[in-house]
C-alpha cells in the first residue's frame, strides 16, 4: 500500500487511489512552523478532503500533529496568543524534524524531534500511522503518538484558551477541511450537533462537507481513544472547516522531565453523507 517513499514524501494507496501523501520533510517557511503533514487526503472516490496553506491561516496544512503552546514556545506556526495582548508575532515558532521511519506493510512509525526557534531540542516524539478497515466506501487512519519531555524541567502544554482566549483551545491532532466544506454539518456522540460542540466532550465527532465541481459529499469521523485524558473538541464549520480533539483545551497538561504523553485517535474517511444512524452503527461495529 505504500507506493512512494523518498527523502520528502511517503504515499499510501489502495488500488488506483492515493489515499494520502505524508510530507515528512516539507519546504515550509519558518514562520509557519515547519512540521510533517498529510495532504492531500482522499476518499476512495478520489475526492480531496484536506486544505493546504489557506489564505486565512497559512500554517494550516491538511492533517497535522502540532501544539500551540509548549512552555511558551509555538509549534503550531504563525502568531501566538498572549494574555491581555491578543495575537502577536513572537520569536518562538519551533520546528518538528523528521529523523527516520520504520515501515511494515500499511503501517509506518516515525521518530521526530521538536526544536525551539532558538535551536533547543525539547520534545522527542514517536508517532505511528496505520491504514485499516478499507471497506466499500470508507477507510480508516489510526494515529498514535508518544511525546517525551527531553528538558531538565517540566513542559507545560497549553492553548489560546488556557492563555485567556475563550473557546480557542486548539492544540494537537488537527484537520483543516477544503474551502467548499465551509458551513458543513457537525454531528457528535450523544446527540451533539453543530458548533455548539466547541469545547465539549464526546467519544466521537463527524464533519460532513460538500465538494466543488463534483456532485458529491464526504464524511470524516474522528474518534477519541478511551485512554486519552481531558479531550475537548475544537470544531468550526464557519468561517472554515476544522476539527481538533484538543488535549489541552481548557486546562494545561504538565509533563515532568523524562515523562511521556501518549495519545491515540482514529480518522474514518468516507464517501457520501453519513447520517447519525450510520455513524453510530459504524462506531458500534468498530470498537477500539
Amino acid at each position: 500500500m505504500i507506493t512512494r517513499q523518498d527523502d520528502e514524501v511517503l504515499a499510501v494507496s489502495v488500488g488506483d487511489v492515493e489515499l494520502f501523501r505524508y510530507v515528512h520533510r516539507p519546504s515550509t517557511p519558518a514562520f509557519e512552523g515547519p512540521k510533517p503533514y498529510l495532504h492531500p487526503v482522499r476518499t476512495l472516490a478520489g475526492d480531496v478532503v484536506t486544505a493546504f496553506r489557506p489564505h486565512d491561516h497559512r500554517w494550516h496544512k491538511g492533517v497535522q500533529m502540532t501544539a500551540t503552546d509548549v512552555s511558551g514556545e509555538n509549534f503550531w506556526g504563525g502568531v501566538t496568543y498572549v494574555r491581555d495582548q491578543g495575537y502577536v508575532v513572537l520569536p518562538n515558532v519551533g520546528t518538528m524534524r523528521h529523523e527516520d521511519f520504520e515501515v511494515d506493510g500499511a503501517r509506518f512509525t516515525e521518530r521526530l524531534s521538536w526544536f525551539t526557534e532558538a535551536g533547543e531540542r525539547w520534545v522527542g516524539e514517536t508517532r505511528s500511522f496505520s491504514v485499516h478497515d478499507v471497506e466499500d466506501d470508507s477507510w480508516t487512519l489510526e494515529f498514535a503518538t508518544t511525546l517525551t519531555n527531553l528538558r531538565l524541567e517540566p513542559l507545560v502544554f497549553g492553548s489560546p484558551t488556557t492563555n485567556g482566549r475563550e473557546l480557542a483551545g486548539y492544540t494537537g491532532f488537527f484537520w483543516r477541511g477544503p474551502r467548499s466544506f465551509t458551513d458543513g454539518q457537525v454531528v457528535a456522540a450523544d446527540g451533539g450537533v453543530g458548533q455548539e460542540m466547541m469545547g465539549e466532550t464526546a467519544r466521537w465527532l463527524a464533519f460532513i462537507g460538500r465538494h466543488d465541481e463534483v456532485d458529491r459529499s464526504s464524511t470524516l469521523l474522528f474518534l477519541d481513544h478511551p485512554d486519552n485524558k481531558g479531550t475537548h473538541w475544537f470544531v468550526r464549520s464557519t468561517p472554515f472547516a476544522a476539527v481538533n480533539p484538543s488535549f489541552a483545551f481548557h486546562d494545561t497538561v504538565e509533563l515532568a522531565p523524562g515523562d511521556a504523553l501518549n495519545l491515540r485517535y482514529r480518522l474514518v474517511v468516507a464517501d457520501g453523507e453519513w447520517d447519525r444512524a450510520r455513524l453510530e452503527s459504524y462506531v458500534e461495529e468498530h470498537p477500539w
Side-chain angles (χ1 to χ4, degrees), residues 1 12-17 19-20 42-45 106 130-142 267-271 274 278 282 286:
M1 296 177 70
V12 174
S13 302
V14 170
D16 296 332
V17 179
L19 300 182
F20 62 82
R42 294 183 174 90
T43 67
L44 290 174
S130 61
V131 174
H132 56 86
D133 293 333
V134 178
E135 303 183 1
D136 291 339
D137 61 353
S138 68
W139 61 275
T140 296
L141 175 70
E142 185 158 338
L267 170 57
V268 181
V269 180
D271 297 308
W274 286 18
R278 177 79 187 273
Y282 187 93
H286 298 78

Side-chain angles (χ1 to χ4, degrees), residues 56-57 60 87 165-170 174-177 181-186 194-198 205 207 233-244:
D56 47 70
H57 296 79
H60 289 183
Y87 285 105
R165 186 186 176 203
E166 186 178 359
L167 298 180
Y170 48 89
F174 181 80
W175 164 77
R176 173 67 188 258
F181 277 33
T182 304
D183 297 321
Q185 300 178 55
V186 176
Q195 293 194 137
E196 291 77 8
M197 290 304 301
M198 178 69 85
L205 183 144
F207 195 105
W233 293 93
F234 177 89
V235 56
R236 283 183 175 158
S237 60
T238 185
F240 54 78
V243 174
N244 161 224

